[in-house]
Amino acid sequence: NLLRYYTIAWIGTMILYTYHKGHIDCNGRGVLQGYLIGLLVVLALIILSLCAIVYVSAQGTITNPGPRRSIPVLVYLRALLYIPELVWACLGAVWVSDDGKGCDPATVGAVIAAVVASWIILLLTALGVVFVFDPLGNPRSQPAAPEPLGVRDLESSEGTQFFSTARSLAVKVWESRLRLLCCCLPQDESNRTVFSNIAKLFSGFFSDTDLVPSDIAAGLALLHQEQDKMEQSREPSVVVTHSPSSPIVSTGGEDLEAELEKAAHCMRFAAAAYGWPLYIYSNLFTGPCKLSGDCCRSRAAEYEVVGGDNLGCHFSSILHTTGLQYRDFIYVSFHNQIYEIPFFVALDHKREAVLVAVRGTLSLRDVLTDLSAECENLPIEGVSGACYAHKGMCQAASYIYKKLVNDGILNQAFSIAPEYKLVITGHSLGAGTASLLAILLRNSFPTLQCYSFSPPGGLLSKALADYSKDFVVSVVLGKDLVPRLSIPNMEDLRRRILKIVSNCNKPKYRILLQGCWYELFGGDPDDFPTEMDNRRQQELSQPLLGEESLMIGHSSSYQSFASDDSPAHTSTHLPLFLPGRVLHITEDGTCFTEVRYRAEWSNEMAFRSILISPRMLSDHMPDAVLGALNSLTCDRPFSLCPSAVNSSQPSTV
């Protein structure tokens, strides 16, 4: 990308110099001509150095870095060129501010564009160094001669101290990066604790490997093709397809169509909790016009709203999305801090429910709540077994629980509608928080229900996940990444990346180019071999020298590389699961360019591995989930798109 940007900048500067050559010395001092000529020379040197880096880095394979041994010298050479680049950017700024007066406006405008582009590239480069460069370097010592097994097993206290120091320094580096990224947030003690916990999580991932970001990208590209290859080789399963208007009952006895209708209804509230950003995104042409007349009205006397909605746009979008009236809302909070997320409480007369909707991730504070992924004890009366959950969402659920119970919000709602039942819903971060909130309120409200859309995979311990199946329904769309995202799953992904890149003898540039082509245009994954030539299958089940060469230290996780199913393949982190029963929605082909969906009850164990796909992020979007649910529940003539029907497995819609 940098090579492309610098090439475009050089071409633009050459066009500017050639086009304005006749009147380039408009002020008679020749500063502009000298600036442009110098800029062309500096950009040319930078382009040559980047071309050399690209060429040399394309040599060898990921596990054979020998042909790339000259890369450090080229990187240092490129780093030295930042000095004249910075000097020329300053000269351009000086000319624009002082020497550009009286010159042709078009010339001045073109030079301003060149100067701005130079500063943008410098800023992006500086940010890349801050957030990507590892100042600790590679702590792996030089390879020594082979030693007897007993000697290798004896680690000196100096070596242990070295790796411990390196890990603590890595945590400090990531903590500094987080503070810089979150400089707009208060740097108080509680936030510093959050930064420290997240830094430990980030520094631990790939900390004992010698992989760079491009290695990880190559591994992800290979994994995607490998997963598609395995999926295509599976025997096609028999799927029941039928009109959404015809009721079907799954093998477990649940009315699947009724659950889909309830889920589609609740998803509107979960989407509404995002406020005006999602409403405008989903209604690009009509949304701004509908909200423009409502945003600045004062409705303080009609509802209680807390924080973050000064113009009233959030609340107006909630009204448009849900179709409720002002009087139907009991409490609306847009207050947002780490562990404290917005939510609202409303009376849903259509379903006769007091509905609590929790907002998903929409701010930097929400991201930090998401990333607080450590386990926290959550003892629940009547639940046997280990009870723990995602720390950030557990804290957020406790915050909302105190608001609902201690501030009397639920008492107020049920005093208005005592016959109504309690329903809790949310999407993404809101889904995880809603599930934990439902668990906390279950003993007080035995009939409550929770609909959790695209919840995070690393949420509940097994005991709590089983307990929640009586009152929580999780809805997952396609290959959504978030329901498969947990620390153990990320460790498994790292292990699979290490294995697949070490089994590949193709240059990294070919892997990346073929991977980009495959992502953009598809094709047959069999055209992209991922295993070393002539490698026997039984050899692939053993740890490889290539894998070992990618390890900085012999960590305990390396022992799990022997086999995916080996007893040693265990995670150092506690396992966490999706909440409740899982309703999985997948695409079932297209009908006249319109995507058709099918839904089936799934198991939380089906989400114990991360699937690489271009849809892994788009399937998580709340508008995509709402669209899929609406497509499943709306009544359309099914005969327009017939499909083979087999009544022997009535378990899908």
Side-chain angles (χ1 to χ4, degrees), residues 426-448:
H427 172 267
S428 189
L429 167 64
T433 304
S435 301
L436 289 164
L437 179 61
I439 291 173
L440 293 174
L441 291 170
R442 168 69 168 175
N443 289 331
S444 301
F445 300 90
T447 61
L448 72 78

Side-chain angles (χ1 to χ4, degrees), residues 6 13 31 143 157 175 177 244 256 269 313 323 330 363 375 381 461 468 482 499 514 544 569 576 635 639:
Y6 279 110
T13 305
V31 177
S157 59
E175 189 171 348
R177 289 171 174 171
L256 190 53
F269 291 86
C313 293
I330 306 299
S363 70
C375 292
E381 183 180 353
S461 64
S468 66
V482 174
K499 180 174 280 294
Q514 291 175 339
L544 302 173
H569 182 204
L576 294 170
D635 191 1
S639 58

Side-chain angles (χ1 to χ4, degrees), residues 78-154:
R78 169 65 188 95
L80 288 176
L81 291 175
Y82 282 116
I83 298 175
E85 184 181 6
L86 178 61
V87 171
W88 248 254
C90 294
L91 287 177
V94 170
W95 184 91
V96 169
S97 60
D98 294 334
D99 296 336
K101 299 175 182 178
C103 295
D104 179 42
T107 302
V108 175
V111 175
I112 290 176
V115 172
V116 171
S118 299
W119 281 106
I120 289 176
I121 292 176
L122 283 170
L123 178 61
L124 293 177
T125 303
L127 290 176
V129 170
V130 170
F131 290 103
V132 176
F133 178 69
D134 182 9
L136 302 179
N138 184 354
R140 177 175 50 188
S141 58
Q142 295 295 327
E147 298 177 352
L149 184 60
V151 175
R152 292 181 60 188
D153 288 341
L154 297 176

Side-chain angles (χ1 to χ4, degrees), residues 15 27 64 97 161-162 179 206 209 216 262 305 312 327 337 350 365 371 417 437 443 473 488-489 612 618:
I15 293 174
N27 55 12
N64 179 26
S97 60
Q161 180 65 28
F162 174 78
R179 288 182 179 178
F206 286 110
T209 63
I216 300 172
K262 293 177 184 177
V305 61
R327 61 178 178 272
Q337 292 294 334
K350 182 178 180 179
R365 297 174 177 87
L371 293 177
L437 179 61
N443 289 331
V473 173
N489 286 9
I612 309 301
S618 61

Side-chain angles (χ1 to χ4, degrees), residues 272-547:
Y274 282 96
W276 68 262
L278 181 62
Y279 184 78
I280 296 295
Y281 174 78
S282 303
N283 305 273
L284 290 176
F285 299 106
T286 61
C289 295
K290 290 182 178 179
L291 291 182
S292 60
D294 298 332
C295 283
C296 296
R297 294 181 184 176
S298 177
R299 304 278 183 175
E302 300 184 57
Y303 62 92
E304 183 181 359
V305 61
V306 178
D309 193 27
N310 296 329
L311 296 178
C313 293
H314 282 307
F315 190 73
S316 296
S317 67
I318 290 175
L319 291 174
H320 284 293
T321 303
T322 60
L324 299 181
Q325 303 297 318
Y326 289 94
R327 61 178 178 272
D328 296 328
F329 287 85
I330 306 299
Y331 185 85
V332 182
S333 172
F334 297 104
H335 170 76
N336 192 201
Q337 292 294 334
I338 301 175
Y339 301 152
E340 299 175 3
I341 56 181
F343 69 99
F344 67 82
V345 181
L347 298 178
D348 179 13
H349 301 295
K350 182 178 180 179
R351 295 284 178 175
E352 295 187 344
V354 173
L355 195 140
V356 180
V358 187
R359 196 189 77 180
T361 302
L362 196 62
S363 70
L364 182 58
R365 297 174 177 87
D366 297 333
V367 173
L368 295 175
T369 301
D370 285 318
L371 293 177
S372 298
E374 294 180 341
C375 292
E376 181 169 294
N377 289 327
L378 185 66
I380 300 296
E381 183 180 353
V383 181
S384 58
C387 295
Y388 51 88
H390 183 287
K391 177 179 180 178
M393 297 178 195
C394 193
Q395 293 283 340
S398 299
Y399 159 76
I400 298 178
Y401 176 86
K402 293 175 183 177
K403 288 287 184 181
L404 295 177
V405 176
N406 296 350
D407 293 357
I409 297 174
L410 288 182
N411 288 338
Q412 180 184 351
F414 283 107
S415 66
I416 299 173
E419 72 281 5
Y420 282 15
K421 62 179 180 293
L422 179 61
V423 176
I424 307 174
T425 189
H427 172 267
S428 189
L429 167 64
T433 304
S435 301
L436 289 164
L437 179 61
I439 291 173
L440 293 174
L441 291 170
R442 168 69 168 175
N443 289 331
S444 301
F445 300 90
T447 61
L448 72 78
Q449 290 181 298
C450 176
Y451 287 89
S452 173
F453 301 96
S454 308
L459 184 65
L460 300 174
S461 64
K462 182 62 175 173
L464 286 178
D466 291 340
Y467 171 70
S468 66
K469 289 182 179 180
D470 291 335
F471 54 93
V472 178
V473 173
S474 291
V475 179
V476 178
L477 175 62
K479 296 183 178 180
D480 186 354
L481 168 67
V482 174
R484 297 173 171 86
L485 201 59
S486 65
I487 296 179
N489 286 9
M490 291 297 292
E491 289 181 340
D492 173 71
L493 178 65
R494 178 182 67 166
R495 180 190 58 81
R496 288 188 289 148
I497 288 176
L498 284 169
K499 180 174 280 294
I500 202 164
V501 299
S502 63
N503 288 341
C504 183
N505 69 336
K506 304 299 180 185
K508 185 163 53 178
Y509 80 95
R510 285 189 58 189
I511 299 174
L512 294 174
L513 288 177
Q514 291 175 339
C516 290
W517 179 272
Y518 185 77
E519 298 296 337
L520 292 174
F521 306 106
D524 187 355
D526 290 334
D527 294 336
F528 308 105
T530 61
E531 294 177 356
M532 292 286 285
D533 297 335
N534 303 321
R535 187 181 293 279
R536 295 188 301 274
Q537 184 64 33
Q538 56 268 28
E539 291 176 342
L540 295 177
S541 64
Q542 302 298 325
L544 302 173
L545 291 177
E547 283 177 282

